[in-house]
Amino acid sequence: QVQLVESGGGLVQAGDSLRLSCAVSGGSFTTYGMAWFRQAPGKEREFVAGISWNGRSTYYTDSVKGRFTISRDNAKSTVYLQMNTLRPEDTAVYYCAVDFLGIGKRAYDEYAYWGQGTQVTVSS
């Protein structure tokens, strides 16, 4: 059984930074593509960033390009999301997800496992 635990969320002001972590246990992390999604109140869950199994390919939604960076440490079975220059519209619950194909960016329902989420709140 694969388990994911996110951490690093919190309440910050606009312009601040946060780094989210997602620790993965079970399975074969080094073969997984990983992604971060977010869901704001009343909105659908949306893709934020993804990374391939070897870290060579990364993907971002347009609204976070240049501000967010996804990375992974295969030795620690952990994926990170560095979020800089945060905006109030980044407020959401952030989830990490496992992609068994190793790509990192797939359709929402193709991710095999999800974490429980971590709240990020950005005040103006």
Side-chain angles (χ1 to χ4, degrees), residues 63-99:
S63 64
V64 308
K65 285 180 180 177
R67 300 189 299 123
F68 290 12
T69 303
I70 188 171
S71 62
R72 64 188 298 155
D73 184 338
N74 283 353
K76 296 182 178 180
S77 297
T78 300
V79 63
Y80 303 97
L81 186 67
Q82 177 67 44
M83 305 186 295
N84 298 329
T85 319
L86 282 161
R87 304 168 180 170
E89 54 264 39
D90 295 317
T91 295
V93 178
Y94 284 70
Y95 300 89
C96 61
V98 168
D99 161 31

